[in-house]
Amino acid sequence: MQSRRHFIRQSAATLFAAPWVTTGMRAASPNGKLRHAAFGAAGMSMADMSAMSNHPMWELTAVCDVDTRNFANAQKKWPNIRVYQDWRELLEKEADNIDSVNVSTPDHMHGSIGLAAIAKGKHIYGQKPLAHNLWECRQMVERARAKGVMSQMGIQISSAFTERHAVALIQMGAIGKVKEAHTFSNKKWGDLEVRPTKSDPIPAGFDWDKWLGVASERSYIEKYDHPGNWRKRRDFGTGTLGDMGCHMFSGWFRSLDLAAPISVKSTGPVPNKDNWAINAVVEYTFKGTKYTAGDTVKVTWTDGDARPPAEVMALVGDVSKFPGQGTIYLGTEGVLLSPHGSTPLLYPREKFAKFGAYPKLEPRDHWADFIDCCLKGDKQPSANFDYAGPLTEAVLLGCLASAFPGENLVWDAPGLKIPNNAEADKMVRRDYRKGWEIV
């Protein structure tokens, strides 16, 4: 077992902390291009493929989707691709023809597909959250590191000017030391009702059994899970926190140089047996760093109609204009509001009216960063799994904590355990359907 010091040093690794260098893992195609396979042919996977296709040294070789109705658009854009309905078949038949993959499926299959691709030595662009549960997430980090593959989590906002600007302002001390932070999203990926007891015909071309994958068997209900509502379902998605948390935690995770949380407590509504709740309130406690005001720092997540405390929102003036999503940092010398996807602002406005130390940042493309690192092999991408793994673990801990309202769950990061709650500790790893186990 790793020592706590070693774990924190590893889990806090970022692009700026000299990530490992791979050797012998460069593109092997005759034309020197990165040969790529996509898991998912529509939605976020189509967005990832389209973004990667802007790189001149990338080529799409194969695509997999359990819903064959999704192939038409992909084949129209890339006529020469080979298509598969079973991700295991793709990895087996295309192992010698691909160098990298993106895993952009519903959350519950990220771990299974991602770990299988890593085992075959493929560079991996994994959509957020990195995996559906804490054990899978840790396996993704450790096995990618051991295999020496390049890795990148799909938190493209972390490469955007807006987040990097906020990170630079915090780390240059624009608002002094950070006392606390509040991250919020007005999305409502939850459902207060339990799963209906009905069954609908499975559409032609759609393999419901393969879509279920690691999850237990249940009837197909039209438009209930697939294609768009799986984020609400506990067995398949991770709610609003899982959807947006990996994006929005990244700003303060990087700017405050945080590692694993010490503890987490949910004081919001409890999910039912099938679906995530809405209006979450989750409090995290982290060990302090040189960018924080104390030995520990608290970060609070809220979603849906839940919002940061009124007195916190009032620090930026008119509460009615407070953004729907973002992070507000409370510092010893001021306040920084970082609206999600927009330019960060310093408060009080009068104090910072003549602030002239804004950072100058070079453009960065999140997908091209991954491709370039795969081709060159000299450094890891900016959101590699050593960085994205601990970040995702924090997100997943918040999801888990929602089932235990009011309880302060202690997180033993090196041991991958919740030592003060046996029931919560059982949820660190899921139960897998027979034949779909991850080993």
Side-chain angles (χ1 to χ4, degrees):
M1 185 178 296
Q2 301 180 82
S3 69
R4 182 174 296 274
R5 178 179 300 174
H6 177 71
F7 175 83
I8 291 175
R9 183 172 66 249
Q10 288 288 349
S11 64
T14 69
L15 175 66
F16 309 106
W20 77 83
V21 175
T22 63
T23 57
M25 296 296 296
R26 302 187 184 197
S29 59
N31 60 7
K33 290 187 175 182
L34 188 73
R35 303 168 301 173
H36 189 84
F39 295 98
M44 198 62 228
S45 189
M46 175 59 80
D48 287 333
M49 291 186 289
S50 297
M52 290 181 185
S53 69
N54 292 322
H55 196 293
M57 297 304 292
W58 178 90
E59 65 180 10
L60 186 61
T61 299
V63 172
C64 178
D65 200 304
V66 296
D67 193 338
T68 60
R69 296 171 296 178
N70 291 330
F71 288 146
N73 286 337
Q75 289 174 308
K76 183 176 180 180
K77 192 166 185 176
W78 298 283
N80 297 323
I81 59 173
R82 293 180 287 279
V83 297
Y84 296 85
Q85 196 173 22
D86 189 325
W87 59 268
R88 297 161 297 189
E89 183 184 8
L90 185 155
L91 283 175
E92 184 65 30
K93 291 185 175 180
E94 300 289 348
D96 294 332
N97 304 319
I98 60 174
D99 309 298
S100 62
V101 304
N102 68 283
V103 181
S104 308
T105 66
D107 298 351
H108 70 299
M109 294 305 296
H110 287 183
S112 294
I113 301 173
L115 289 170
I118 290 169
K120 289 188 175 293
K122 307 308 174 186
H123 304 303
I124 176 170
Y125 186 100
Q127 261 306 327
K128 51 78 187 173
L130 208 54
H132 189 259
N133 63 70
L134 289 152
W135 179 83
E136 288 177 359
C137 186
R138 184 67 62 83
Q139 296 304 306
M140 293 278 276
V141 176
E142 293 181 346
R143 297 187 196 186
R145 184 189 301 147
K147 202 68 174 179
V149 299
M150 293 294 174
S151 61
Q152 179 92 306
M153 186 163 75
I155 47 172
Q156 59 273 12
I157 191 69
S158 70
S159 289
F161 170 81
T162 51
E163 181 180 303
R164 293 162 60 215
H165 192 179
V167 170
L169 287 171
I170 293 292
Q171 293 193 344
M172 70 169 55
I175 61 169
K177 302 288 187 179
V178 173
K179 298 183 293 182
E180 61 181 281
H182 296 261
T183 299
F184 47 94
S185 171
N186 56 6
K187 288 190 175 183
K188 295 183 178 181
W189 282 117
D191 190 341
L192 304 183
E193 303 297 326
V194 296
R195 190 177 187 87
T197 55
K198 59 175 293 189
S199 178
D200 292 321
I202 299 172
F206 177 47
D207 193 320
W208 174 239
D209 184 70
K210 289 187 178 67
W211 190 92
L212 285 174
V214 298
S216 60
E217 293 182 22
R218 67 205 69 196
S219 62
Y220 170 79
I221 302 174
E222 185 178 4
K223 297 182 180 179
Y224 187 80
D225 304 299
H226 176 77
N229 288 313
W230 53 265
R231 293 189 189 281
K232 301 177 182 179
R233 320 300 174 206
R234 291 179 67 180
D235 275 352
F236 308 130
T238 43
T240 304
L241 179 50
D243 176 36
M244 295 306 300
C246 291
H247 283 306
M248 298 168 67
F249 281 29
S250 181
W252 47 263
F253 220 85
R254 199 183 295 275
S255 64
L256 300 181
D257 195 24
L258 298 179
I262 298 169
S263 63
V264 59
K265 181 172 70 174
S266 169
T267 58
V270 183
N272 61 40
K273 66 183 182 69
D274 298 310
N275 298 315
W276 295 105
I278 57 175
N279 304 334
V281 181
V282 182
E283 300 174 355
Y284 293 90
T285 300
F286 290 87
K287 182 180 179 180
T289 69
K290 65 180 180 180
Y291 301 111
T292 66
D295 293 336
T296 62
V297 61
K298 186 171 78 171
V299 181
T300 304
W301 165 270
T302 52
D303 65 41
D305 294 326
R307 305 292 274 164
E311 62 271 21
V312 171
M313 293 195 293
L315 294 171
V316 302
D318 188 350
V319 174
S320 67
K321 296 182 180 179
F322 203 75
Q325 300 190 105
T327 297
I328 183 169
Y329 301 81
L330 280 57
T332 55
E333 304 297 331
V335 171
L336 186 145
L337 175 64
S338 180
H340 182 60
S342 298
T343 303
L345 301 169
L346 296 168
Y347 295 88
R349 298 299 288 164
E350 316 82 60
K351 177 177 179 178
F352 293 99
K354 296 183 180 180
F355 185 79
Y358 290 105
K360 294 182 179 179
L361 302 169
E362 294 296 322
R364 188 167 73 202
D365 184 301
H366 200 66
W367 296 270
D369 178 27
F370 170 70
I371 295 168
D372 286 340
C373 289
C374 291
L375 291 170
K376 296 175 183 177
D378 58 346
K379 65 177 182 179
Q380 278 284 335
S382 61
N384 65 78
F385 290 2
D386 258 15
Y387 171 73
L391 187 159
T392 303
E393 287 185 15
V395 169
L396 296 176
L397 272 170
C399 297
L400 188 157
S402 67
F404 303 90
E407 297 190 37
N408 193 55
L409 302 181
V410 174
W411 181 232
D412 172 8
L416 198 67
K417 295 179 180 178
I418 301 173
N420 67 329
N421 187 311
E423 289 303 308
D425 191 58
K426 291 178 182 177
M427 296 172 64
V428 168
R429 183 174 181 176
R430 78 179 297 155
D431 292 326
Y432 295 93
R433 185 157 61 113
K434 187 176 181 179
W436 293 86
E437 299 89 348
I438 298 177
V439 295

